[in-house]
Amino acid sequence: MEEKLKIKLSIADRVYPLTIDPKQEEGLRKAAKNIENLAKKFEQNYAVRDKQDVLAMCALQFASKIEQGGIDRSENTKAAFERLRALNDLVHSKLGE
């Protein structure tokens, strides 16, 4: 069993101590950095001073990307299925089945 790793992440001027599996460290650090970068952009581009509002806007942006990705994958899967069905029909028609 792997040892747990204790790290501290800074998000929106607060430090969050976490105990994690070592394999999670890179992903968590990248995620915290992405949140920090996006929060800075929101603070610079919009007159938002309240950290809670900035974090809510970050959460909405990240969640919408995840949801849109799921929608896009679903649409791509449906399109691929239809192309495969058409190809299957074509093959069967050429084989005389």
Side-chain angles (χ1 to χ4, degrees):
M1 185 169 141
E2 279 190 49
E3 289 288 320
K4 295 289 185 179
L5 180 65
K6 293 184 180 206
I7 65 171
K8 292 181 181 180
L9 296 178
S10 176
I11 302 172
D13 299 331
R14 286 194 182 178
V15 175
Y16 296 91
L18 300 171
T19 303
I20 61 167
D21 289 326
K23 62 185 175 188
Q24 295 177 300
E25 183 180 13
E26 183 179 2
L28 286 168
R29 290 197 186 278
K30 285 182 177 183
K33 185 176 180 181
N34 287 337
I35 293 168
E36 279 291 305
N37 290 337
L38 187 58
K40 284 179 186 174
K41 285 181 185 178
F42 282 134
E43 288 174 332
Q44 290 169 355
N45 295 331
Y46 304 100
V48 180
R49 298 284 179 245
D50 185 2
K51 292 290 185 182
Q52 185 172 344
D53 291 340
V54 171
L55 290 174
M57 293 168 69
C58 290
L60 179 61
Q61 177 133 351
F62 288 124
S64 69
K65 283 183 181 182
I66 291 169
E67 291 300 323
Q68 190 60 50
I71 291 167
D72 292 346
R73 280 190 300 279
S74 176
E75 289 174 357
N76 289 340
T77 300
K78 288 177 187 175
F81 182 76
E82 290 303 319
R83 288 193 303 269
L84 286 171
R85 181 180 293 182
L87 182 58
N88 188 46
D89 292 345
L90 179 63
V91 167
H92 283 288
S93 71
K94 295 297 181 184
L95 293 175
E97 293 181 8

